[in-house]
Amino acid sequence: MPREHEPSLNEKQFVTQALQENLRLDGRELDQYRPLELTFGDQHGVAEVTLGKTKVLARATAELTVPYPDRPLDGIFTISTELSPMTAPSFEVNRPTETEVLLSRLLEKTVRRSGALDTESLCLVAGKQCWSVRVDVHVLSHDGNLTDAACVAVVAALRHFRRPDASIAQGVLTVYTPAEREPVPLSWLHSPYCVTWSFFGDEGATALLDATWLEEQVRAGSCTFSMNQHGEICQIAKLGGVPVDAVALLQCASVSLTRVKEISDLVDRRLAEDLKRRDKGGFMAELRAENDR
Amino acid sequence: MTVSSAPEVAFGVLPRADGSARYSHAGYTVLASVNGPIEAQRRDEHAYEAHVDVIVRPAAGVGGTRERHLEAILQSSLSQLILIKNFPRCLIQIVLQVESSPENDYVNTKLVQASLNFALMPTLMQTAILALLSAGVPMRATATATAIAVSHDKTVVDPSPRDVETARSVHVLAFTSQDDLLLAESEGDFTVKEWDDIYEAAKKICCRPAPDGASMQLDDDDSSPAAVGPDLRQFLRSTMESKVAADLHWK
């Protein structure tokens, strides 16, 4: 497969020099996001996020399995991230690259380890039956800031998702098909979102949000803050790169909170709009006995 | 459950790929990207022709044998269409990402499905063709494909998952724009007579001549009106015409 082409020396210099003068190639402010758009599919649990030219599709599914023997009371929750050659021809099938490993690790830390999904509620019969919720993240197009876009997609897909209803009567587990009972939403505790900062120059003098692919290739370091809208930090990942002043990082954290609030508002709004779109006539329509023939 | 929506397509969805198309038909939505001709890996390199690489990625779960089989079928059919001799030592990479497929409301689906989903094939094929056209890869002909399910009393075009489940046999047929049979895959029990009927029905859907009014009335000798699907060739033609018109708008 062909290697991804790197920006030339001139291109690199141009970007960094412009950033020293607080200018970005696309004319954005340093702490401004590209337009973020979130759409849902016809099915439950399909969310597509567009952030500029970056496109991520997340799909949530659930199936019945046996829980892990060491955690009999917990359901299973996995996030799988795979960058296909659709993203760029340099990615190969079944050969994870560094980008992919870092992305899935960050998503795991942000969504799974922060306890956003109540895994105990996924357990049906202790040690015997539980739901295994799986989110597949498909990166359709990569133009920088994959982490933030993927995180929004995963959270939105999980909040949009409905799993089949199940009940236990006299020790017998019944899982209802969508035709029998309306599927139910997952028990969701909080919505964490990622905000990635890119640092440029010595000591990370310039910090900017939502870097494009070109800026990502030139940057001297990056730091990802994951927090929810209440300002509770789930994780901070600063993997290598130039050392950054602690005060600057604190400032980054406080700006991140305002961005997280904006993202959170957008996701809530889109979810509400989608709910309204699906709601056909409300409660009275549900009470109706006649079928749609 | 019967999602018999008209086919829809959007070109150039992905900004970084050479060509891309998102196509939805009969409840299935597939996104395809085409890159090519690009440099091939040593193991895929062929001295006289281009290597066509088809990758099918399911919406949920990891691809398995089912996807490899679909890939193999698509690869052999698409290699017939693309002028591979024009690009020796190159690679034409087609990635097909399934975005959504219709669900069967009467059963709880498993993530890993053992049997091959033939109903998905025409959408994959059609999306690949549209993406190849969008990427401007030279081809010998275009193709149209359709799936037909035969249950005890009726034939269903573009079957839903429930139709596939109850069907006796499922067939996928594709025809080139020169009315030649490109692909014929079948699954289940059927007789030669049945297959002949399927062939005629599929040919009627895929190779419908340009509308002139008279031909539309001839279809009613079929067993059910459901056996008449959308006019795929006309769809392909009109979408490409509008795309070209939009692309050359500046002229």
Side-chain angles (χ1 to χ4, degrees):
Chain A
M1 305 290 141
R3 265 182 55 194
E4 193 68 22
H5 77 274
E6 286 169 13
S8 67
L9 216 55
N10 284 343
E11 225 171 337
K12 278 185 191 170
Q13 239 165 27
F14 181 65
V15 174
T16 36
Q17 213 168 349
L19 280 173
Q20 275 168 8
E21 296 164 23
N22 284 344
L23 289 170
R24 290 175 86 165
L25 289 197
D26 43 9
R28 275 184 292 153
E29 299 291 317
L30 291 187
D31 61 348
Q32 194 187 352
Y33 263 70
R34 287 170 284 179
L36 178 71
E37 207 35 72
L38 170 65
T39 47
F40 294 104
D42 286 336
Q43 283 167 322
H44 280 292
V46 183
E48 191 181 322
V49 169
T50 315
L51 184 65
K53 282 182 182 171
T54 300
K55 264 183 211 282
V56 182
L57 178 84
R59 167 94 198 249
T61 41
E63 66 176 345
L64 277 179
T65 41
V66 181
Y68 294 127
D70 55 332
R71 318 214 64 163
L73 294 173
D74 276 352
I76 300 169
F77 173 38
T78 42
I79 302 174
S80 110
T81 325
E82 213 180 318
L83 294 174
S84 67
M86 184 176 271
T87 317
S90 55
F91 292 108
E92 272 181 74
V93 188
N94 298 327
R95 190 171 294 177
T97 54
E98 195 191 319
T99 332
E100 186 180 322
V101 175
L102 290 182
L103 177 63
S104 55
R105 186 87 194 101
L106 259 175
L107 289 177
E108 288 258 307
K109 278 205 284 187
T110 306
V111 183
R112 205 162 75 99
R113 301 241 324 255
S114 75
L117 179 67
D118 178 20
T119 47
E120 278 184 24
S121 72
L122 298 175
C123 183
L124 294 168
V125 183
K128 295 224 176 76
Q129 290 263 282
C130 72
W131 286 108
S132 162
V133 175
R134 181 194 166 95
V135 189
D136 289 82
V137 181
H138 303 294
V139 179
L140 306 178
S141 164
H142 179 14
D143 189 36
N145 206 9
L146 220 49
T147 326
D148 297 10
C151 189
V152 176
V154 168
V155 170
L158 281 167
R159 285 180 61 183
H160 190 246
F161 181 61
R162 303 280 184 274
R163 67 167 170 81
D165 199 4
S167 73
I168 300 173
Q170 280 119 40
V172 182
L173 173 74
T174 326
V175 178
Y176 298 100
T177 60
E180 287 167 345
R181 269 198 199 180
E182 199 68 10
V184 290
L186 300 169
S187 133
W188 190 252
L189 300 179
H190 73 124
S191 304
Y193 298 102
C194 293
V195 173
T196 306
W197 290 85
S198 301
F199 301 106
F200 292 83
D202 303 329
E203 304 275 310
T206 318
L208 57 88
L209 271 178
D210 189 25
T212 60
W213 177 228
L214 181 62
E215 286 165 340
E216 273 189 11
Q217 282 174 308
V218 177
R219 73 185 173 193
S222 73
C223 180
T224 304
F225 291 84
S226 302
M227 54 174 86
N228 58 20
Q229 54 173 334
H230 309 298
E232 292 162 339
I233 293 181
C234 304
Q235 63 100 23
I236 298 174
K238 169 126 183 32
L239 312 164
V242 288
V244 180
D245 189 33
V247 182
L249 270 186
L250 279 177
Q251 204 173 353
C252 286
S254 64
V255 177
S256 301
L257 180 58
T258 57
R259 291 290 166 277
V260 164
K261 278 181 180 157
E262 284 167 20
I263 298 173
S264 168
D265 280 349
L266 177 93
V267 174
D268 290 348
R269 207 166 54 234
R270 289 283 177 274
L271 277 167
E273 279 169 15
D274 187 74
L275 199 65
K276 203 181 256 177
R277 186 170 65 86
R278 277 165 201 277
D279 186 20
K280 294 185 197 82
F283 191 57
M284 284 317 286
E286 268 176 48
L287 286 178
R288 228 158 38 121
E290 67 189 90
N291 286 333
D292 297 323
R293 286 223 176 82
Chain B
M1 276 63 61
T2 44
V3 198
S4 57
S5 56
E8 261 178 62
V9 69
F11 288 105
V13 195
L14 307 174
R16 278 168 58 101
D18 287 347
S20 59
R22 175 180 274 145
Y23 176 74
S24 52
H25 178 47
Y28 293 98
T29 308
V30 178
L31 177 68
S33 81
V34 170
N35 281 304
I38 52 174
E39 181 192 337
Q41 261 185 327
R42 278 294 281 280
R43 59 158 194 259
D44 297 331
E45 202 176 85
H46 195 290
Y48 299 109
E49 56 186 40
H51 175 71
V52 178
D53 191 13
V54 182
I55 299 158
V56 176
R57 291 169 56 82
V62 284
T65 330
R66 197 164 87 93
E67 278 70 33
R68 298 294 95 73
H69 185 199
L70 285 176
E71 283 168 15
I73 295 170
L74 283 169
Q75 193 215 15
S76 56
S77 337
L78 291 171
S79 301
Q80 301 286 323
L81 293 178
I82 301 167
L83 295 174
I84 45 175
K85 291 258 159 60
N86 287 12
F87 309 104
R89 297 184 187 277
C90 283
L91 171 73
I92 292 165
Q93 192 174 48
I94 304 162
V95 188
L96 296 155
Q97 171 75 60
V98 181
E99 288 196 345
S100 66
S101 44
E103 273 168 359
N104 191 345
D105 273 356
Y106 294 93
V107 286
N108 281 310
T109 44
K110 280 288 231 202
L111 218 56
V112 185
Q113 283 167 336
S115 71
L116 180 73
N117 197 348
F118 263 3
L120 177 62
M121 270 288 278
T123 318
L124 288 176
M125 182 88 179
Q126 219 68 60
T127 321
I129 297 283
L130 288 163
L132 282 165
L133 286 170
S134 154
V137 174
M139 289 195 285
R140 193 166 285 123
T142 57
T144 43
T146 190
I148 296 181
V150 185
S151 43
H152 292 284
D153 46 351
K154 61 179 192 318
T155 58
V156 186
V157 179
D158 300 323
S160 67
R162 194 159 164 74
D163 292 330
V164 172
E165 198 183 69
T166 53
R168 224 157 16 101
S169 62
V170 184
H171 309 261
V172 177
L173 288 99
F175 293 85
T176 65
S177 46
Q178 282 123 21
D179 292 2
D180 296 323
L181 184 64
L182 176 70
L183 167 79
E185 292 283 333
S186 304
E187 165 179 73
D189 292 338
F190 55 93
T191 59
V192 175
K193 161 100 186 29
E194 268 176 356
W195 194 89
D196 286 340
D197 291 346
I198 299 281
Y199 174 81
E200 289 305 324
K203 196 161 184 180
K204 219 173 261 176
I205 296 162
C206 293
C207 310
R208 206 174 293 175
D212 51 61
S215 63
M216 301 308 279
Q217 297 303 314
L218 297 175
D219 294 329
D220 56 9
D221 55 344
D222 235 321
S223 52
S224 69
V228 185
D231 192 347
L232 290 172
R233 185 176 286 178
Q234 183 57 34
F235 168 75
L236 199 67
R237 210 184 163 78
S238 60
T239 48
M240 279 322 288
E241 269 171 6
S242 54
K243 180 186 183 297
V244 169
D247 287 354
L248 299 181
H249 178 65
W250 56 276
K251 269 197 173 172

